[in-house]
């Protein structure tokens, strides 16, 4: 395919994705009484240290931040944006922990990740999925990456009323 076709397909997918987000939240934000506070962790990684680079993940993350600020009125002090070199495993886990500690029973949380994902075959069958931070190493996923079970743990630990995970990562 010509390069312009790939860009057009990607742009249309992004528009569809953002439309879905707007529709998903439209019911939640009709009344200011539904949530006390809104929190977000937004991650976009284009320039990886050990794996192939991406082209649009940071743009998508910045667009998501803009949507949350301007359309859904998330307070800027409650949004953490980690891009490229900021999106280390340690910084991501620290930011997830901060949201878990700060979000209360009547709050909402959005966690957005745009970047690489990998799977590892398990000896008994099946796969374990991982999100690769900027310093992730596909040769040692367990040590260097964030397994998908970590997202489930955040849901179990957090007091937040709702947590929405938006993950744009190929496996």
């Amino acid at each position: 395919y010509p390069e312009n076709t790939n860009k057009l397909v990607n742009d249309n997918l992004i528009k569809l994705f953002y439309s879905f987000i707007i529709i998903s939240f439209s019911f939640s934000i009709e009344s200011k009484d539904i949530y006390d506070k809104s929190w977000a962790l937004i991650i976009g990684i284009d320039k990886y240290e050990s794996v192939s680079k991406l082209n649009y993940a940071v743009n998508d993350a910045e667009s998501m931040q803009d949507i949350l600020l301007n359309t859904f009125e998330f307070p800027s002090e409650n949004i953490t944006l980690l891009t490229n070199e900021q999106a280390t495993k340690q910084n991501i886990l620290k930011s997830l922990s901060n949201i878990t500690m700060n979000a209360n029973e009547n709050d909402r949380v959005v966690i957005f990740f745009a970047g690489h994902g990998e799977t590892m075959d398990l000896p008994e069958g099946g796969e374990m999925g991982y999100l690769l931070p900027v310093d992730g190493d596909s040769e040692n996923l367990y040590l260097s990456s964030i397994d998908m079970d970590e997202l489930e743990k955040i849901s179990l630990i957090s007091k937040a009323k709702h947590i929405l995970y938006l993950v744009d990562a190929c496996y």
Side-chain angles (χ1 to χ4, degrees):
Y1 295 98
E3 187 173 315
N4 290 342
T5 302
N6 288 337
K7 173 90 169 101
L8 181 62
V9 169
N10 189 43
D11 289 346
N12 286 334
L13 287 173
I14 291 169
K15 288 176 187 174
L16 178 65
F17 175 72
Y18 291 140
S19 297
F20 172 75
I21 291 168
I22 290 170
I23 291 167
S24 297
F25 270 104
S26 64
F27 297 107
S28 300
I29 63 169
E30 288 179 5
S31 170
K32 301 276 185 197
D33 297 331
I34 294 176
Y35 300 109
D36 290 338
K37 293 183 181 176
S38 301
W39 305 87
L41 171 58
I42 303 170
I43 304 158
I45 308 167
D46 286 334
K47 298 175 182 172
Y48 279 88
E49 293 175 7
S50 300
V51 297
S52 63
K53 309 241 184 287
L54 296 172
N55 294 318
Y56 304 106
V58 172
N59 286 342
D60 292 349
E62 291 169 345
S63 294
M64 178 58 68
Q65 180 184 31
D66 183 61
I67 289 169
L68 293 178
L69 285 169
N70 297 311
T71 303
F72 298 108
E73 300 177 356
F74 275 52
S76 60
E77 64 272 11
N78 290 0
I79 296 177
T80 301
L81 175 66
L82 300 175
T83 59
N84 291 327
E85 67 277 349
Q86 301 166 330
T88 63
K89 180 179 180 181
Q90 187 65 31
N91 283 346
I92 293 170
L93 292 175
K94 181 179 177 184
S95 298
L96 286 169
S97 177
N98 286 342
I99 285 178
T100 301
M101 291 173 51
N102 290 309
N104 290 312
E105 293 85 8
N106 209 32
D107 294 352
R108 64 180 170 178
V109 174
V110 172
I111 298 172
F112 176 86
F113 179 89
H116 278 299
E118 291 268 341
T119 56
M120 180 175 65
D121 292 330
L122 299 174
E124 300 287 321
E127 297 175 321
M128 173 67 72
Y130 291 88
L131 300 177
L132 269 70
V134 71
D135 52 347
D137 179 1
S138 59
E139 299 298 317
N140 192 345
L141 293 171
Y142 178 76
L143 182 62
S144 69
S145 300
I146 299 167
D147 68 71
M148 295 301 287
D149 289 343
E150 194 64 36
L151 300 184
E152 182 180 5
K153 287 178 195 173
I154 295 300
S155 296
L156 295 171
I157 294 169
S158 177
K159 294 182 247 174
K161 183 176 188 175
H162 293 124
I163 300 176
L164 175 64
Y165 294 96
L166 301 167
V167 179
D168 181 7
C170 293
Y171 283 124

